[in-house]
Amino acid sequence: LSKNLFKNRGEIEDDLIIHSKMLIKQNNYGQRGLHDGNKRKQFIGVLAENIVRKFLKKDLMSVNGKDSGYDISYFKYKADIKAMERKVRPRENHVNNILDIQMKHKADAFIFSSLNVSEKMLTICGWIPKKDFKELAKFYKKGTERVRDDGTSFKSFADLWELENKYLYPVL
């Protein structure tokens, strides 16, 4: 997997930024009621989803507010597109996370991406069926101390699942 894992990388086009900002301005995408994310986090998620949609030749997001528990059809799966905002390029040991409350959504697969704000670049890290994700990911209770590669740490703000990039399948 690792040889082709990060081949889907590209600069972020201005038209996708403009479209995504317009969607955030017209919609409140944080409607779960818990851990909805601020406007910045919502923008990162919407921008990443639009970039992935364009890469996969799907329609961009439209003005409709709340999603239906998944973002796109990907092969035979209902896939949820996830994004992490970073200041570095992704590596195999970088983790992707899913809040435990999101595991009940209709999605049966996840597509993970990494938005490098320093380089204005999005990398589609890979995808995985939810069933495989649950088998391979590590679960952490709210308040668990998490240590990053650089030695800094934080306490998880919610129950969450984490999976390293090295376990993902390349997006085709």
Side-chain angles (χ1 to χ4, degrees):
L1 291 178
S2 60
K3 291 178 191 165
N4 296 320
L5 195 57
F6 302 128
K7 68 178 181 175
N8 300 323
R9 177 181 293 135
E11 288 188 36
I12 301 167
E13 299 168 8
D14 288 339
D15 63 323
L16 293 177
I17 293 172
I18 291 165
H19 180 74
S20 298
K21 282 183 178 178
M22 181 269 305
L23 290 172
I24 291 299
K25 195 174 201 176
Q26 295 181 5
N27 293 286
N28 178 8
Y29 288 96
Q31 296 184 38
R32 294 179 299 229
L34 188 62
H35 310 299
D36 290 331
N38 59 30
K39 287 290 186 181
R40 171 73 183 172
K41 289 183 179 183
Q42 290 177 34
F43 170 70
I44 295 300
V46 168
L47 178 61
E49 181 174 335
N50 278 318
I51 295 168
V52 172
R53 283 173 172 269
K54 186 169 183 177
F55 176 80
L56 295 174
K57 299 179 177 28
K58 306 272 186 187
D59 291 337
L60 297 181
M61 291 176 69
S62 61
V63 178
N64 66 2
K66 201 171 179 181
D67 70 27
S68 59
Y70 68 98
D71 297 319
I72 62 169
S73 295
Y74 183 69
F75 294 107
K76 63 179 182 173
Y77 295 97
K78 295 175 183 142
D80 194 5
I81 299 169
K82 298 296 189 185
M84 294 287 283
E85 181 179 14
R86 294 191 164 104
K87 293 180 181 173
V88 297
R89 289 187 178 190
R91 296 190 296 262
E92 286 189 337
N93 66 323
H94 281 174
V95 297
N96 302 285
N97 60 54
I98 304 284
L99 297 180
D100 190 50
I101 61 170
Q102 295 176 309
M103 294 300 277
K104 66 179 188 231
H105 293 176
K106 291 180 186 176
D108 55 6
F110 303 110
I111 298 173
F112 292 104
S113 64
S114 181
L115 183 76
N116 182 327
V117 292
S118 299
E119 295 181 352
K120 195 178 169 187
M121 183 177 299
L122 182 107
T123 301
I124 303 172
C125 299
W127 78 281
I128 191 166
K130 183 190 282 187
K131 175 180 82 57
D132 295 350
F133 179 87
K134 287 171 97 172
E135 289 175 15
L136 296 168
K138 294 178 182 170
F139 178 77
Y140 297 97
K141 295 292 286 173
K142 177 181 178 178
T144 302
E145 186 170 3
R146 306 294 303 117
V147 180
R148 297 182 186 104
D149 285 350
D150 65 4
T152 61
S153 65
F154 65 97
K155 291 192 181 206
S156 61
F157 66 93
D159 292 350
L160 61 85
W161 299 76
E162 287 184 355
L163 183 69
E164 292 178 341
N165 280 325
K166 67 184 177 185
Y167 295 108
L168 302 177
Y169 301 106
V171 171
L172 306 173

